[in-house]
Amino acid sequence: MHDPYAHVTLDAGTILFEEGEPGAYAYLITRGRIEIFLRREGAEIQLAVRGPGEIFGEMAILDSDPRSASARALDDCELVPVSEAQIRHRLSETDPILRLCLTVVMARYRETAALLRERGVVARGDPAAVPSPAARADFDAAITAVVLERELRRALDRQEFELFFQPVVRLDSEMLAGFEALIRWRHPERGLVAPAAFIPVAEESGLIVDITAWVVAEIGRVLPEIMRAGLRNVAAIEGSLFVSINVSGHDLARASFPGMVCEMLRAAGIAPGSLKLEITESTLMRDPASATDALTLCRASGMGIAIDDFGTGYSSLSYLSTLPITTLKVDRAFVRAMLSEPRDHKIVQTILRLADEIGIPAIAEGIEEPTEARALAAMGCAYGQGYLFGRPAPLAETLDRIRSWHADPTARRAPAA
């Protein structure tokens, strides 16, 4: 069994696998050459030589049949293993027509190869094949994804993730209302890594489910501390503080997700209303039925449901009547442009009017300037979030921020013109 966090290094002459063995890994070659061969009647028949920028061993994990040939290092080699689980997950996310085509191609290839061997004909691969620029680009992208996925698995095992918290404030009073919890990765070599750099790979690999489970457990640990800090500064806080977490389509597709969150709240003694689940429009459209079922259960228990980045995704209004949404979040792109672009200003006005019509509050994201906060408040936006009120911060700094929060709109905003 390979170390899941390590490259595979082979000395020249080492047999990596034998024909007929089950295949648990494919391999990307970053250094050296691999010989693919058959043993027949006491002799070896070379089928192909693979070099840097190529993949081998993929057939056995694509169709779950045994290895069709043996593999040996011709030189000292370095390989990046790709596990069966990694490939299986990606195949499950693929269009069913493509999966069918792949299954047929693999079956026909094996049939043809077996027929050729019966007739004493061996099809050889080009031992000096050089990947095309397009193939090389795909190889480099695959290496990046495989290595990052492996590091994410290690990060989960070694508890390298951390939650940061960004304030959400009441715009008309600047009283503190709650926080959005944002995950960060304290990478041992690269330092603090923002979610945009690793969440896409986590979603592609399915690791987002494990990461969300960690976030839910961590919220259960820290939210009581946040609530206790709020009790020491009630004059500057609007009611009881809430914390929102981001949820993916993979999470909502799991029947166990609502129960997991409810159990965390129960075990931590947290009122369900103190937690909001944030989802994007694209998440809703990925599997509307599963999303509706999961969110309905979560809302029935008392949790809040926020649509993040509203207006930037599929913009289907149907879910506004079918889902138990409690908050709309105005995307930062509209907020940043609304004072200079009349169209964006009208979009923000429309979103705020829609939120008012269906009786739920709106939160504007990405507020950086006092003039933006003032304009949004004048348009009837209830809440705001952005660097004007505070950057995302770790727990210790967040607790200090709660205890010292001073609700004074004039402290940060420009005077009215």
Side-chain angles (χ1 to χ4, degrees):
M1 180 70 69
H2 296 302
D3 179 346
Y5 307 134
H7 286 31
V8 174
T9 57
L10 300 176
D11 295 332
T14 303
I15 298 291
L16 182 61
F17 57 74
E18 295 277 9
E19 179 184 2
E21 293 180 350
Y25 292 88
Y27 299 91
L28 301 166
I29 307 173
T30 58
R31 179 171 58 87
R33 295 176 303 149
I34 294 290
E35 177 187 30
I36 310 300
F37 67 96
L38 295 173
R39 291 190 176 92
R40 292 294 184 271
E41 299 177 354
E44 292 184 356
I45 304 171
Q46 186 185 82
L47 300 180
V49 174
R50 304 298 182 208
E54 295 189 90
I55 187 171
F56 70 97
E58 74 286 352
M59 287 181 59
I61 56 177
L62 285 174
D63 63 10
S64 300
D65 280 356
R67 299 288 191 189
S68 60
S70 302
R72 173 171 52 214
L74 287 178
D75 312 310
D76 292 346
C77 292
E78 183 177 81
L79 314 174
V80 176
V82 185
S83 73
E84 181 178 11
Q86 289 175 295
I87 290 182
R88 288 286 169 211
H89 176 79
R90 284 166 171 80
L91 286 177
S92 71
E93 299 289 304
T94 303
D95 183 275
I97 296 176
L98 293 178
R99 290 201 301 271
L100 175 62
C101 290
L102 178 61
T103 300
V104 171
V105 167
M106 292 299 297
R108 289 176 179 169
Y109 179 87
R110 284 190 181 271
E111 289 172 1
T112 301
L115 181 61
L116 289 173
R117 283 196 291 270
E118 287 176 6
R119 295 178 177 179
V121 180
V122 176
R124 293 178 179 270
D126 181 0
V130 177
S132 68
R136 184 70 214 193
D138 287 342
F139 179 86
D140 291 342
I143 286 285
T144 299
V146 169
V147 170
L148 183 54
E149 181 180 338
R150 195 169 64 202
E151 290 183 339
L152 286 172
R153 292 183 186 278
R154 181 190 64 189
L156 280 164
D157 289 346
R158 300 181 182 180
Q159 297 289 301
E160 292 174 358
F161 292 114
E162 182 178 349
L163 290 182
F164 277 39
F165 301 88
Q166 186 172 34
V168 176
V169 306
R170 183 84 189 188
L171 286 177
D172 58 5
S173 65
E174 287 202 1
M175 296 184 77
L176 184 61
F179 294 89
E180 180 179 357
L182 301 163
I183 193 169
R184 297 291 186 267
W185 177 12
R186 289 198 179 274
H187 193 281
E189 286 85 37
R190 298 200 296 271
L192 202 63
V193 181
F198 64 88
I199 290 298
V201 169
E203 291 185 335
E204 291 166 7
S205 65
L207 280 172
I208 193 66
V209 170
D210 298 311
I211 291 174
T212 299
W214 177 86
V215 169
V216 169
E218 186 69 0
I219 287 293
R221 185 183 72 84
V222 305
L223 189 49
E225 293 186 67
I226 290 173
M227 304 300 286
R228 286 193 294 270
L231 293 175
R232 298 177 60 179
N233 190 14
V234 293
I237 292 172
E238 183 189 61
S240 180
L241 291 173
F242 69 82
V243 171
S244 64
I245 62 173
N246 294 281
V247 178
S248 77
H250 292 282
D251 300 314
L252 297 179
R254 295 170 62 222
S256 61
F257 176 76
M260 177 184 71
V261 181
C262 289
E263 175 57 25
M264 176 276 289
L265 294 170
R266 186 200 63 76
I270 300 169
S274 300
L275 182 68
K276 291 182 185 290
L277 306 180
E278 290 197 12
I279 50 176
T280 62
E281 291 181 275
S282 57
T283 293
L284 290 174
M285 295 303 104
R286 181 177 181 271
D287 186 351
S290 293
T292 299
D293 291 345
L295 294 174
T296 299
L297 288 172
C298 290
R299 180 59 191 146
S301 74
M303 297 176 226
I305 310 294
I307 301 296
D308 198 9
D309 302 338
F310 185 77
T312 63
Y314 291 85
S315 299
S316 170
L317 298 181
S318 61
Y319 56 73
L320 293 181
S321 62
T322 59
L323 287 174
I325 298 166
T326 61
T327 308
L328 289 183
K329 297 194 77 173
V330 184
D331 185 71
R332 69 186 68 246
F334 300 135
V335 171
R336 298 299 296 140
M338 69 178 186
L339 296 184
S340 58
E341 298 291 338
R343 175 175 291 185
D344 290 276
H345 189 274
K346 290 183 181 298
I347 289 173
V348 172
Q349 283 184 317
T350 300
I351 294 173
L352 295 177
R353 189 176 302 117
L354 176 62
D356 183 62
E357 287 291 333
I358 61 178
I360 61 175
I363 300 175
E365 297 182 290
I367 301 174
E368 297 185 9
E369 301 296 334
T371 49
E372 294 167 351
R374 184 159 57 95
L376 286 162
M379 285 190 282
C381 185
Y383 299 98
Q385 178 181 347
Y387 289 173
L388 177 66
F389 309 113
R391 293 175 178 266
L395 179 63
E397 185 177 331
T398 296
L399 296 176
D400 289 339
R401 177 179 277 168
I402 295 170
R403 288 187 285 260
S404 62
W405 190 268
H406 181 58
D408 182 7
T410 63
R412 278 182 280 260
R413 297 200 194 151

